[in-house]
Amino acid sequence: MNSPCNTCQEKVQKLNQQVSVMRKELKNLRQMLDSATRVHRKHILSLHCIVSKLDQKEPGEGPTNISASPVGALEQGVIQTVPIGYLRSCFSAKNGTPRQPTICGPSRAELLIQQSVFNNPEHALVGLEQYSHVWIIFVFHKNGHLSVKAKVKPPRLNGQKVGVYSTRSPHRPNAIGLTLAKLDKVAGDTIYLSDIDMIDGTPVLDIKPYIPDYDSILPRVKSGELNEEFPLTELTHRDVKRMENKDSKRQTVESDHLLGGAINNDHLAHLQSALEDVKAFVSQSDLSLEEKNEVFNSPQNPPESLERPCYGEEAYSTIASWIREPPVSSLEVRFTAHAEKELAEFLPVGCNEKDEPKFKFLRSTAEAMAAIRGVLSADPRSVYRRGRCADKLFYFTLDTADVTCWFGQGFAEVLQIRLVQQLSGVAQD
């Protein structure tokens, strides 16, 4: 006869078996539901296509043969997008979120690929870990309204109007955003990003790897053509070394073939002169701004040579002048002693202490301070706030910290840094 203890153990084992069976059944049901959802979306897309075609048909026309396939719908201009996932970001609101990804390096986010898109979402990310950066195509879901204007007022222009297509304004006919993010790692069906400018909950439409050979203008310069206009501000010592190697190989080839083995001295002298100018510019990268101005404003180097370094007649690439020289200058960022003390109380992500405030994304106090400096130095205020509310308090959220600051003439001062939970009463995950 079994003891009561053995009987209980048998019952527990049976219950565990039943739970295991139920879990498998739930998994199968989820997969069936996902499959049915995808089929339903295809049918809806086909119906949209048919309705759109019927609306465009003239009165009295006979029946039209309309393709009921999604491919036919795309060909006829019926476009439907489905988010592949929703971003978990250290920025929980629009206020204070950087307008460009390079403004706040420590900013981080996670993207979980949804199973509704792929049955095995981790398979879609195989190979992505070989890249250091990725393009993120997303939706500006917090625009607040759908009305758009042909001209907008970018904050960097401080109230001046330009065409919406000459800016990166989120208020566009199609509220689609594009950002270049640093890929920290890929783990299963999740990618971990930094250097981001997207808020929490952003719907992501697609991910594409960043490939400098195709996406950057500099590598597109034809091999050996130094008599083009180079964007010297983007050159690195590695680029110069690469050009030196190519120039050396070209000299060897030309010494054997040009003019029956005779070197074309005029041609090589021109190339060497151009290369020396490039090397001289890059060597100044460690100088201060004042020192650079002294070098390039000398009689031998007039200001025009700094603005438009040219070794040919045509420009290779140009950008709007207000991008590099905006009317709004960078701000000095200060912390009060009280704010520094409050920030030091935050523990980095991964700590297990329950009674202390801790971050979800940021890894140290120094990183949090750098992130706050990055956000505020770029002046996150709108044009209206700058003009009408110059000395008012400004609030924004970074990770789990609620930051309070105010703006003076040419500076921003952080006054208080508190845990978001203390102000809103919302518990952390």
Side-chain angles (χ1 to χ4, degrees), residues 210-223 230-231 234 238-239 242 246 316:
Y210 170 75
I211 306 175
D213 290 354
Y214 310 141
D215 298 339
S216 175
I217 288 183
L218 187 59
R220 298 184 186 184
V221 180
K222 293 180 181 180
S223 175
F230 283 86
E234 300 177 6
R238 182 183 61 183
D239 299 318
R242 183 181 61 192
K246 289 183 179 180
Y316 195 74

Side-chain angles (χ1 to χ4, degrees), residues 45-325:
L45 189 61
S46 301
L47 289 174
H48 276 304
C49 174
I50 294 172
V51 172
S52 176
K53 196 69 176 180
L54 289 175
D55 289 341
Q56 297 173 3
K57 196 172 68 169
E58 295 292 333
E61 287 186 0
T64 305
N65 183 19
I66 301 173
S67 173
S69 69
V71 174
L74 287 174
E75 291 177 350
Q76 296 169 26
V78 180
I79 301 172
Q80 184 180 16
T81 57
V82 179
I84 63 171
Y86 295 86
L87 206 73
R88 290 187 66 245
S89 168
C90 62
F91 300 109
S92 60
K94 288 170 58 178
N95 207 32
T97 299
R99 298 187 179 98
Q100 300 298 333
T102 56
I103 290 176
C104 183
S107 57
R108 291 195 175 84
E110 301 170 6
L111 178 61
L112 174 69
I113 306 299
Q114 289 191 316
Q115 264 197 332
S116 59
V117 180
F118 298 109
N119 286 333
N120 299 295
E122 64 275 7
H123 292 178
L125 300 178
V126 172
L128 189 63
E129 73 282 352
Q130 300 178 51
Y131 299 90
S132 64
H133 293 77
V134 290
W135 293 109
I136 305 293
I137 303 170
F138 62 96
V139 176
F140 291 110
H141 68 302
K142 291 287 189 179
N143 274 2
H145 55 81
L146 297 178
S147 62
V148 293
K149 297 181 179 179
K151 285 190 174 182
V152 295
K153 299 178 180 179
R156 285 173 67 87
L157 274 176
N158 207 27
Q160 300 178 37
K161 286 187 176 182
V162 291
V164 65
Y165 291 128
S166 67
T167 74
R168 297 187 176 186
S169 168
H171 303 289
R172 322 178 72 82
N174 296 300
I176 296 176
L178 174 70
T179 195
L180 181 61
K182 186 176 183 298
L183 179 60
D184 293 332
K185 68 174 181 177
V186 178
D189 56 2
T190 304
I191 64 174
Y192 295 83
L193 307 166
S194 59
D195 250 358
I196 57 101
D197 57 352
M198 299 168 285
I199 68 174
D200 192 61
T202 294
V204 175
L205 301 180
D206 201 3
I207 309 166
K208 296 179 185 291
Y210 170 75
I211 306 175
D213 290 354
Y214 310 141
D215 298 339
S216 175
I217 288 183
L218 187 59
R220 298 184 186 184
V221 180
K222 293 180 181 180
S223 175
E225 291 188 0
L226 283 178
N227 57 341
E228 296 255 357
E229 181 178 351
F230 283 86
L232 292 183
T233 54
E234 300 177 6
L235 286 176
T236 63
H237 291 281
R238 182 183 61 183
D239 299 318
V240 175
K241 189 67 176 178
R242 183 181 61 192
M243 288 189 291
E244 281 183 306
N245 293 336
K246 289 183 179 180
D247 186 57
S248 176
K249 292 178 181 178
R250 182 174 58 252
Q251 289 185 31
T252 303
V253 172
E254 289 176 345
S255 65
D256 293 334
H257 297 284
L258 287 178
L259 303 177
I263 298 177
N264 188 333
N265 293 327
D266 292 339
H267 181 64
L268 289 181
H270 174 71
L271 292 174
Q272 289 173 349
S273 176
L275 183 60
E276 290 301 322
D277 290 342
V278 173
K279 291 164 64 178
F281 181 88
V282 176
S283 66
Q284 304 296 327
S285 59
D286 295 331
L287 297 178
S288 65
L289 182 60
E290 293 77 8
E291 291 172 325
K292 285 184 179 180
N293 288 336
E294 291 178 2
V295 171
F296 287 100
N297 289 336
S298 64
Q300 293 80 10
N301 296 285
E304 290 76 13
S305 65
L306 176 60
E307 295 174 0
R308 293 185 58 80
C310 186
Y311 300 111
E313 295 181 357
E314 296 183 357
Y316 195 74
S317 68
T318 58
I319 61 173
S321 60
W322 59 269
I323 298 297
R324 290 203 175 104
E325 297 179 0

Side-chain angles (χ1 to χ4, degrees), residues 331-379:
L331 301 178
E332 176 192 355
V333 181
R334 310 169 183 172
F335 289 79
T336 64
H338 179 71
E340 289 184 352
K341 181 180 179 182
E342 288 181 324
L343 183 60
E345 294 175 357
F346 280 77
L347 299 177
V349 60
C351 291
N352 297 324
E353 287 79 355
K354 295 183 179 180
D355 297 332
E356 298 294 334
K358 57 179 176 293
F359 292 119
K360 293 180 182 178
F361 296 93
L362 298 171
R363 298 172 181 172
S364 66
T365 300
E367 190 173 82
M369 185 172 289
I372 294 173
R373 288 186 186 277
V375 170
L376 293 178
S377 64
D379 198 345

